[in-house]
Amino acid sequence: MVWHESWTRGTTMRRRVALACMAVATLVAIVCVERAAAQSNVTGQWSVLPYTMPINPIHVGLMRTGKILIVSGTQNDPTVTTNSAAVYDPNTGVIDVQEVPWDLFCNGLSWMPDGRALIAGGTLQYPVNGHGWGGLKTTTVFDPATEKFIQVQDMARGRWYPSIVGLADGRMATFSGWLEQGGTNNAVEIYTNPNGWSQEYYAPFTPELYPWLHLLPDGRVFMSGANVGSSIFNPSTNTWQTGVATMKYSRDRIYGSSVLLPLSAADNWRPRVMIMGGDNPSTATAEIIDLSQPSPAWRFTNPMSGPRIQMDAVILPTGKILALGGSQLDKTASTATLAADLFDPATETWTPAGTMNMPRLYHSVALLLPDGTVWSAGGNPDWGNWENRMEIYRPAYLFNAGGGPATRPTISAAPSVIGYGGSFQVSTPNAASIASVALIRNGANTHAFDMDQRMISLSFTKGAGTLTITAPPNANIAPPGHYMLFIVDANGGMPTVPSAPTAGSSRAARRPPARRPRPAT
Ligand SMILES: [Cu+2]
């Protein structure tokens, strides 16, 4: 196997840093260890990775192989003439950069049931020479098996800043985005694999770019923002219901974030959505809507610890939501909110989740990884200026009271495919201490929003060395695709079996073939 140059450099750098860390630890151990330890198991711990990202990580997704797909295109830099993407293995630090023939900057990216990414649009033109931004109508598919991009059928019109959401029947709906010559694309198009796109279904309104779309347990799609007015798309009639609810915050929550709070069997799959942050200057406020109500309405919940535009929100295996990054003034590092917050949907309270080492601004991203950590990257306040350092957040559940690594429960056997209805079994020597079991869908994050992440908390019974778990009842609750299965013990530790897909998806997760990677640019 031939590894490329930047990996070699990365290895050298990691060795140097490892030595440096040991030296520092020796010096400060006497005074600092106890205090640091006491905090880690309460707030978790942020740490900067000892290697950097060679391209601007604008669009990212967790592949079913456990690697991270990075899509950059021209990297928000009109002087860049190559279109980049990369595959990053967070376990080894290998970052394998490749070129794509067209510009995927500012696409919409979401995982299809077969584990490939469907990528809608990108950049046709930058706003130079007297015209505005223009969106591509190109559709791209990325396959984790080959780690290659292919072009499939074009959409009807261009999309720059569209969203995509997976539907219960495995189709993928895209909405919004900027047209080839400007103006908002207000049509939904629905992709069926392998046949291609539906006709356009026009919305009776002009959506925000990168609208926040969530598949509800009744199969409809809720658009929570960033507009103040929320709407619902019904994929069985291809029509919109507008005026579903109005935000309490009086202005659009531009580049805030939105999360479908964990769906739970114990709560009869009651769908609640939380929106938070956004606007410029930004807000710390957050709101929740309960869509099981006959007349759902937004209401304020407790605010985050600081204002956030260009933030991210990540669901953790415990069902808590990590809010991170952003700033008070857009693209202004001096106003960054470095403190991270952890939201408990049961109590609707926020608690401190440590302090990040650097600002995360426009185009920053974050993903939950299969080991229960959160990866944070990017930030791109100006053309050609972007953050190449990455951080890992280790949540409090990974630490014991002394600050060392917590003892985590283990999974010795689990099915690789889970069907709908019925039950399945997971073997674990820790069955007696398990408090919760959840599926979390592999994330796909860009522009402050994760188009894929959703958590399904399952009911279960304990046997000797075995959990018998009730599967998701249907594909509205858990749309087909690849998920991580987490079991969480009563003390909050957890293991994972990455990427257990639900029914309807082919389980073809195999190591990609060895091949010659391109050098980093
Ligand atoms: Cu952008």
Side-chain angles (χ1 to χ4, degrees), residues 8-338:
T8 311
R9 281 205 305 269
T11 309
T12 310
M13 193 189 304
R14 281 199 297 281
R15 280 200 200 104
R16 260 192 237 120
V17 170
L19 288 171
C21 285
M22 277 162 53
V24 171
T26 308
L27 290 173
V28 300
I30 297 159
V31 284
C32 285
V33 161
E34 202 169 327
R35 188 172 155 207
Q39 289 177 337
S40 298
N41 74 320
V42 177
T43 62
Q45 190 180 82
W46 290 91
S47 52
V48 180
L49 288 175
Y51 52 92
T52 55
M53 178 56 60
I55 58 174
N56 187 353
I58 298 168
H59 310 270
V60 299
L62 176 66
M63 297 159 50
R64 59 173 170 72
T65 55
K67 296 179 184 176
I68 296 173
L69 172 63
I70 313 279
V71 177
S72 308
T74 45
Q75 310 189 54
N76 195 27
D77 184 344
T79 68
V80 169
T81 54
T82 53
N83 306 304
S84 313
V87 171
Y88 164 42
D89 185 340
N91 295 311
T92 61
V94 173
I95 302 168
D96 188 4
V97 176
Q98 59 177 288
E99 280 181 30
V100 183
W102 50 94
D103 189 0
L104 292 173
F105 171 51
C106 295
N107 68 74
L109 186 158
S110 179
W111 296 112
M112 292 196 284
D114 63 6
R116 297 182 304 158
L118 184 68
I119 306 173
T123 298
L124 176 66
Q125 60 187 23
Y126 279 71
V128 292
N129 302 329
H131 53 69
W133 289 101
L136 282 182
K137 59 182 182 180
T138 306
T139 312
T140 309
V141 168
F142 173 82
D143 188 345
T146 59
E147 298 186 350
K148 292 249 185 300
F149 296 83
I150 58 166
Q151 186 177 355
V152 295
Q153 184 196 10
D154 282 356
M155 298 174 289
R157 294 181 295 159
R159 296 185 190 270
W160 179 87
Y161 280 56
S163 294
I164 306 196
V165 61
L167 303 177
D169 59 8
R171 295 181 302 154
M172 310 288 291
T174 186
F175 187 45
S176 191
W178 207 234
L179 295 162
E180 289 98 321
Q181 303 304 326
T184 302
N185 188 331
N186 74 332
V188 172
E189 287 173 277
I190 302 179
Y191 188 81
T192 305
N193 181 36
N195 299 324
W197 292 103
S198 69
Q199 69 177 84
E200 296 180 287
Y201 302 109
Y202 295 100
F205 59 90
T206 300
E208 208 78 80
L209 297 175
Y210 281 131
W212 301 335
L213 305 177
H214 299 286
L215 178 68
L216 297 177
D218 65 5
R220 297 182 302 165
V221 174
F222 180 59
M223 190 186 78
S224 61
N227 315 58
V228 294
S230 309
S231 305
I232 290 179
F233 178 74
N234 187 336
S236 59
T237 59
N238 300 310
T239 55
W240 285 91
Q241 176 190 351
T242 58
V244 171
T246 304
M247 277 179 197
K248 289 293 179 200
Y249 189 72
S250 62
R251 291 151 52 93
D252 289 359
R253 288 181 179 271
I254 301 291
Y255 293 122
S257 199
S258 177
V259 173
L260 175 66
L261 295 178
L263 297 170
S264 168
D267 198 19
N268 199 27
W269 313 113
R270 181 168 60 112
R272 291 183 299 159
V273 171
M274 178 167 71
I275 51 177
M276 67 219 99
D279 199 7
N280 186 26
S282 65
T283 176
T285 62
E287 303 179 44
I288 289 179
I289 192 169
D290 180 345
L291 290 150
S292 71
Q293 298 300 309
S295 299
W298 290 105
R299 61 175 170 78
F300 280 119
T301 184
N302 287 306
M304 300 179 288
S305 68
R308 302 183 194 275
I309 180 171
Q310 316 290 358
M311 60 174 296
D312 281 299
V314 178
I315 303 174
L316 300 186
T318 51
K320 294 181 180 175
I321 315 299
L322 180 72
L324 66 146
S327 53
Q328 183 194 16
L329 300 177
D330 196 17
K331 305 177 179 176
T332 307
S334 62
T335 68
T337 296
L338 296 176

Side-chain angles (χ1 to χ4, degrees), residues 392-411:
I392 289 286
Y393 177 63
R394 292 178 179 79
Y397 49 62
L398 296 178
F399 299 93
N400 61 32
T407 305
R408 302 167 65 167
T410 56
I411 292 176

Side-chain angles (χ1 to χ4, degrees), residues 56 75-77 331 361-362 379-387:
N56 187 353
Q75 310 189 54
N76 195 27
D77 184 344
K331 305 177 179 176
L361 307 174
Y362 184 50
N380 182 195
D382 309 293
W383 280 3
N385 169 24
W386 56 275
E387 176 60 71

